[in-house]
Amino acid sequence: MEQESDEFLQHLTTSTDSFLRQHISTEQLEAAFTPLHTSNRTALWPLMEGKIKRRENTDLQVHIADTLVHCHLLPLQCFSEYFEHEVEPGQPVVKLPADQVPPAAFQIVYDWILDPNRPLEWHSFVAVLSAAEYLRIPALIERCWQYLDNPRVVENAAFYVFLQARRYENVQLQPMMLRRICRFFLALVSTLEFCELSLDELSVLLASNIVAVFDETDVFYAACQWLMYDWTERQGSIERVMELVRFERMQTADLARFCVFQECAELQPILRHPTTKQLVDRALASICARPSSRNGASADDASGRWLPAHRRPTERVRLVAESKETKAYVAGDTSYDGFNEFLGVLREQPNSWRTFRLTEENVGLLEDMFGGCTVSDG
């Protein structure tokens, strides 16, 4: 029976070929069967895109802590090297660490993959960056840095980013933000967050030229503030902390007071520490060795207490006293008690630091660094 069927099909094929050769050409057939209207079938990709965005027929479950997210693997593989190389086709479940990929951040990441025009909210930049780095999504990492590494992220905004970056142990972002504190420095010193900085974080902050102060004694008193917040644990760090203070940039009168320990009782353990004494003595010797002006004062003192005649590489950004509060601080008690009184003013008026004005040369310097943004804004 099968043999007869095969013979019939062979005969039919032979007859058809014979008909084609004798009565019609392939060109005529192609012309005859060309449709009069083009196909109106919907393109495949819009249909697939719609189903993916509506999360229909998802093929992957992403577990993060107690959160379960239903996803399609293919879009994730298109952007994420993690999903491309570490997730097997057909693998139904992926578990991600919540400390590096927070659930809310992963949701934003997945939405961004499905829609490149999705905006990123300011409060999620650092969390999304952490997730993008873990999932190895180069395009999203670059996008996050475009938001974070821009000249408007300075001062209080920079410290906010620092606090966020600390949660995710972002060792690149943390020091970068601490070096952008500028006019916000003294307001920051008045907060609990300053006192709770780690020694490494404090070192980055106080080593920066971009912290804005009226005088280097502000930095010294800030360092003392940090040490005394937890004296029992931190007294062993005096040497490292004091070496961050640029005593050579202080006024001779202040150094002389420190040299003979004319300060409040609180500071005596710090002032009498061998490292502090050595640094103060070295600074006094350095100042005495500088050329004097005509009236006998040192070159630095001749230009006034708060406005040095010229900027040196080791100087910090300097502030000009203009408001009633800053003028009172500059002209008043230069002791640690006076410093604490001024911090009290900053606590009562937490936005008053915005009125701080930089010296003209500092404005030019920071405009070069930050593109002219925010550092002189009120």
Side-chain angles (χ1 to χ4, degrees), residues 6-25:
D6 291 340
E7 290 176 355
F8 174 76
L9 289 174
Q10 185 177 2
H11 174 73
L12 182 62
T13 302
T14 303
S15 299
T16 303
D17 291 343
S18 176
F19 177 82
L20 285 173
R21 286 194 298 270
Q22 295 179 28
H23 300 286
I24 191 168
S25 67

Side-chain angles (χ1 to χ4, degrees), residues 146-378:
Q146 288 173 352
Y147 281 103
L148 295 168
D149 188 16
N150 81 71
R152 293 191 178 277
V153 182
V154 292
E155 301 180 325
N156 55 342
F159 193 71
Y160 170 82
V161 173
F162 161 77
L163 292 176
Q164 296 294 310
R166 178 199 265 173
R167 293 174 55 189
Y168 301 103
E169 300 181 356
N170 190 312
V171 296
Q172 183 179 5
L173 196 55
Q174 287 175 255
M176 185 178 82
M177 291 297 122
L178 284 176
R179 295 187 182 103
R180 294 181 171 208
I181 296 302
C182 199
R183 294 179 304 163
F184 185 61
F185 175 69
L186 289 172
L188 172 60
V189 174
S190 73
T191 67
L192 181 64
E193 285 76 11
F194 171 80
C195 294
E196 292 181 343
L197 292 175
S198 70
L199 177 58
D200 287 340
E201 292 165 348
L202 180 80
S203 298
V204 171
L205 179 62
L206 297 190
S208 172
N209 290 341
I210 313 301
V211 292
V213 293
F214 293 101
D215 186 79
E216 187 66 19
T217 52
D218 293 339
V219 179
F220 171 66
Y221 290 144
C224 294
Q225 190 96 335
W226 183 87
L227 285 167
M228 290 187 293
Y229 177 74
D230 189 359
W231 177 250
T232 303
E233 293 295 325
R234 295 177 177 178
Q235 58 183 316
S237 302
I238 289 181
E239 181 175 354
R240 182 173 168 185
V241 173
M242 287 297 104
E243 287 176 348
L244 297 168
V245 180
R246 302 170 188 180
F247 289 96
E248 290 86 354
R249 306 309 307 159
M250 290 185 185
Q251 304 301 313
T252 308
D254 291 323
L255 288 170
R257 283 192 302 109
F258 297 155
C259 189
V260 295
F261 315 122
Q262 288 183 353
E263 261 296 347
C264 64
E266 284 181 279
L267 295 191
Q268 293 306 312
I270 298 174
L271 290 173
R272 294 178 183 275
H273 189 277
T275 297
T276 309
K277 292 171 63 178
Q278 182 182 24
L279 291 169
V280 170
D281 290 344
R282 186 188 302 165
L284 279 170
S286 173
I287 291 174
C288 292
R290 293 175 193 167
S292 298
S293 63
R294 293 180 183 177
N295 61 7
S298 72
D300 285 342
D301 288 345
S303 61
R305 176 171 171 77
W306 306 110
L307 294 175
H310 60 280
R311 178 178 174 79
R312 297 188 178 188
T314 55
E315 270 195 83
R316 304 185 195 270
V317 169
R318 289 302 178 101
L319 297 171
V320 179
E322 285 192 326
S323 68
K324 179 181 68 175
E325 292 81 8
T326 56
K327 286 181 178 179
Y329 172 57
V330 167
D333 185 1
T334 61
S335 69
Y336 183 61
D337 289 337
F339 177 76
N340 274 318
E341 288 179 11
F342 185 61
L343 294 187
V345 172
L346 295 178
R347 292 188 193 99
E348 293 174 359
Q349 304 174 30
N351 289 316
S352 60
W353 66 270
R354 294 180 178 276
T355 66
F356 294 174
R357 187 172 68 83
L358 307 178
T359 62
E360 291 184 7
E361 60 184 0
N362 288 149
V363 170
L365 171 71
L366 294 176
E367 284 180 348
D368 291 340
M369 295 181 65
F370 298 117
C373 297
T374 73
V375 290
S376 59
D377 296 342

Side-chain angles (χ1 to χ4, degrees), residues 57-75:
N57 302 321
T58 56
D59 58 352
L60 181 68
Q61 293 181 352
V62 176
H63 281 258
I64 308 173
D66 297 329
T67 302
L68 176 63
V69 184
H70 294 274
C71 306
H72 288 92
L73 176 60
L74 185 58

